[in-house]
Amino acid sequence: MSPQLKHIASDDTLPSHADVVIIGGGIIGSSAAYFLAKQGYRVALVEKGRVGAEQSSRNWGWCRQQNRDARELPTSGLSMRLWDEMSRDIGEDLGFRRCGLMYATDDPQQLAEWDAWRETAKQFDVNTRMLSAAEANEKMPANGRSWLGGVHSVDDGKGEPALAAPMIAEGARALGATIHQHCAARGLDITSGKVSGVITEKGTIQTQRVLCAAGAWASMFCRHHGIIFPQASVRQTAFRSKPIKNIGEAIYTSGVALTRRLDGTYTVALSGTALLEFTPQGIRFAKPFMPMFIKRLKAVQAGIGSSFFSGPEAINRWKNSQMSPMEKHRILDPAPVKSNLEKTLHAVRTIFPELADMEIGESWGGYVDCTPDAIPVMSEVDGLEGFYLAAGCSGHGFGLGPGLAKVAADLVVNNTPEVDATAYRLSRLTDGSKIEVGAI
């Protein structure tokens, strides 16, 4: 059920000391390791499973500024620049292409929202234009659907989820970072209210600076140390087609979304549909999350599954000297929802006549970790000196990954971030501040 992923090797020896330890080898953890190593810091990246194996390889691969919330737009611009720079400087193909993104809809409300967003785009010089009904139907011809209009985000693009995080981690290693897979962080060593090390299943790394980029596992890890981080995950389903005719590089419609992969296949998913599973963590944070789920998801399916009893949102207690839940779940690999796969394939074949013969090559599920306002957290953690959090990307983590990682890396070493990180502070979710749910 896991999607294709580039495998990389691990470093054999766990260092006794590091300037910074990064927990989690997704797109943000790998990118932060790269940026810190590039500045000369000794970095150790510890990953309980394999680099990139969870949501960083299970997403659509979109790298966009289009339709971003205004709070994210400075970072999305930074991220697009960094995608270009990393692709050049690492010297490996990350699959990043500025191919442009195409959107089409037959929903007048959605079209009006896209049109209204142009005022936000102007403030940040985003190169985007509305498509007329005639243009949308010409560029994305549909069977039995007549698009009212659409959007062409000219400078946006896509990356390759199977390649990006592993190859960025390799780029960090080339600059001196060490990469430790199948090496779960069980907890923090804390001395007088300050971080003094990371306790892993393979030993302790002494350090005074830790960045937790643990994705869906971040809230559980924080709770282990008495830190409140409101986080909830929604389960999504996607598939990768067998090679098929190219009808466009990245297409979003009010039914399905498609992203062309480097090998001639497509990643395909239903638009705005996810499964919300009842879990102890989800129940704990249900109230602050309800406005976000109502606004962002068109079709919410709910139920109780195995995630209630095991995984990052279950009731988990452990000692740092014992096996942790992370070691019991090396890779969070939920099964795809079969009914959603069938709906997705039917929708593609129905909407796009040129894809009537599309077949599923592989399918998977994934957990998208969210915050109550759908804006990421890139922040120091009050009350525990030396501990920083980079999580809650709310489905935006892959495309925003390099920019968010650069912000987090700068915070960890007390540099001034290139963009204002105020909107990403953890305290906004716990100090009674008004929650304003971000745009999709």
Side-chain angles (χ1 to χ4, degrees), residues 18-31:
D19 295 327
V20 182
V21 174
I22 297 173
I23 301 171
I27 191 72
I28 292 177
S30 296
S31 296

Side-chain angles (χ1 to χ4, degrees), residues 117-249:
W117 187 82
R118 288 192 298 168
E119 294 304 313
T120 302
K122 291 176 184 177
Q123 300 174 41
F124 297 92
D125 297 320
V126 179
N127 187 7
T128 182
R129 73 181 190 88
M130 296 296 293
L131 299 175
S132 67
E135 289 175 312
N137 284 287
E138 178 186 358
K139 293 179 181 297
M140 292 161 280
N143 183 27
R145 301 281 288 273
S146 180
W147 307 128
L148 295 176
V151 175
H152 181 199
S153 58
V154 181
D155 294 332
D156 288 348
K158 62 179 183 178
E160 186 75 9
L163 296 176
M167 299 317 300
I168 293 169
E170 287 284 33
R173 185 179 359 233
L175 296 170
T178 57
I179 312 298
H180 308 278
Q181 299 172 105
H182 288 87
C183 182
R186 292 177 172 175
L188 303 173
D189 202 0
I190 300 171
T191 305
S192 301
K194 301 179 181 180
V195 169
S196 55
V198 174
I199 302 166
T200 81
E201 63 180 288
K202 296 181 178 179
T204 298
I205 308 173
Q206 295 181 25
T207 186
Q208 295 181 331
R209 288 174 283 199
V210 174
L211 176 63
C212 178
W217 299 86
S219 184
M220 184 196 72
F221 189 87
C222 287
R223 189 167 62 251
H224 181 60
H225 294 286
I227 298 163
I228 298 174
F229 170 37
Q231 182 185 39
S233 295
V234 293
R235 180 175 159 191
Q236 294 191 327
T237 292
F239 73 78
R240 184 171 181 158
S241 75
K242 294 182 180 179
I244 197 167
K245 181 178 180 179
N246 187 355
I247 66 163
E249 295 298 317

